[in-house]
Amino acid sequence: TQLLEQSPQFLSIQEGENLTVYCNSSSVFSSLQWYRQEPGEGPVLLVTVVTGGEVKKLKRLTFQFGDARKDSSLHITAAQPGDTGLYLCAGARGSGGSNYKLTFGKGTLLTVNP
Amino acid sequence: ETGVTQSPTHLIKTRGQQVTLRCSSQSGHNTVSWYQQALGQGPQFIFQYYREEENGRGNFPPRFSGLQFPNYSSELNVNALELDDSALYLCASSLTGINTEAFFGQGTRLTVV
């Protein structure tokens, strides 16, 4: 059972366009992480957001964590073909120490056409 | 490159067989987690190992088992393989802590026929 809902599931856009990917849950997470995954590879961490309302920027990528720490968004400005990939959000929960696991959404498959 | 290596990269097994997948964690990382990623899905948490003990398990049957060794490398064992076990198996290593970064290996693509 996926506790994190990502939308849209598929997105195909032209180079230079802007886009936003959403990650929603009914559960509260200690932190939320965004990953990008290329075909045949493991996910690579882009950012971790921890505080409700937090906004982080990574070049043309802007990540936001909802005030209630249940949802997040990823906004890409002026998308480039190199941004093509599967974008995954993952919520972390646990009671501290080493006891935590990541719950992933199904991902958003982004294709940026030249 | 994350420093997490998995072997083999690809594997084909027959239904009913057993398989062992291996993971070498990033230097200094004491926690290893295993995930199953079916085609078109996000990774699903199988279990986590910390200091050689299982420390959390997802919704997977007992035929999925694992080990962590003193050097923090890990194995995932799956018995009585089923067709639905075909997936990309990912290993992630991290330090102790809830918001620490998890570094993923490239995965093992298992096909059960």
Side-chain angles (χ1 to χ4, degrees):
Chain A
T1 303
Q2 295 281 7
L3 299 180
L4 279 171
E5 297 289 334
Q6 281 190 244
S7 61
Q9 193 173 349
F10 300 96
L11 192 54
S12 180
I13 61 171
Q14 294 298 122
E15 183 175 0
E17 293 184 359
N18 302 330
L19 67 114
T20 302
V21 175
Y22 299 94
C23 178
N24 296 297
S25 174
S26 58
S27 302
V28 175
F29 292 99
S30 300
S31 68
L32 206 139
Q33 303 175 9
W34 284 92
Y35 291 82
R36 180 166 163 264
Q37 185 178 22
E38 305 252 4
E41 300 290 327
V44 176
L45 181 68
L46 297 173
V47 78
T48 300
V49 284
V50 178
T51 306
E54 183 176 4
V55 177
K56 281 191 174 179
K57 293 195 174 187
L58 184 67
K59 296 183 181 178
R60 295 177 292 101
L61 279 60
T62 301
F63 304 85
Q64 186 162 6
F65 202 12
D67 290 341
R69 300 195 352 253
K70 292 182 181 181
D71 53 84
S72 181
S73 64
L74 157 61
H75 183 79
I76 301 179
T77 303
Q80 299 176 1
D83 295 327
T84 294
L86 179 68
Y87 288 82
L88 294 158
C89 67
R93 57 157 60 94
S95 57
S98 61
N99 187 19
Y100 88 97
K101 69 174 187 179
L102 293 175
T103 300
F104 282 86
K106 285 188 176 182
T108 294
L109 186 59
L110 172 66
T111 303
V112 182
N113 303 298
Chain B
E1 193 169 310
T2 63
V4 179
T5 58
Q6 292 187 241
S7 62
T9 55
H10 296 82
L11 198 53
I12 299 176
K13 286 286 191 178
T14 303
R15 188 171 51 183
Q17 286 188 314
Q18 178 266 344
V19 69
T20 297
L21 310 181
R22 295 179 174 83
C23 172
S24 294
S25 58
Q26 184 164 317
S27 177
H29 284 184
N30 55 16
T31 301
V32 174
S33 302
W34 286 91
Y35 292 82
Q36 180 196 66
Q37 186 176 21
L39 204 59
Q41 303 290 321
Q44 295 281 317
F45 177 74
I46 303 174
F47 43 56
Q48 181 184 89
Y49 277 82
Y50 171 63
R51 292 186 175 177
E52 303 176 55
E53 297 284 334
E54 187 179 290
N55 183 48
R57 187 178 183 93
N59 190 26
F60 281 82
R63 58 189 186 85
F64 286 78
S65 63
L67 283 172
Q68 188 181 30
F69 300 99
N71 66 354
Y72 303 133
S73 65
S74 178
E75 287 182 354
L76 163 65
N77 298 290
V78 187
N79 292 322
L81 283 166
E82 301 177 359
L83 297 179
D84 285 348
D85 295 332
S86 295
L88 180 68
Y89 288 85
L90 296 162
C91 160
S93 78
S94 63
L95 292 169
T96 295
I98 189 168
N99 292 327
T100 57
E101 182 175 349
F103 292 86
F104 283 83
Q106 83 281 7
T108 294
R109 172 69 63 186
L110 172 66
T111 303
V112 182
V113 297

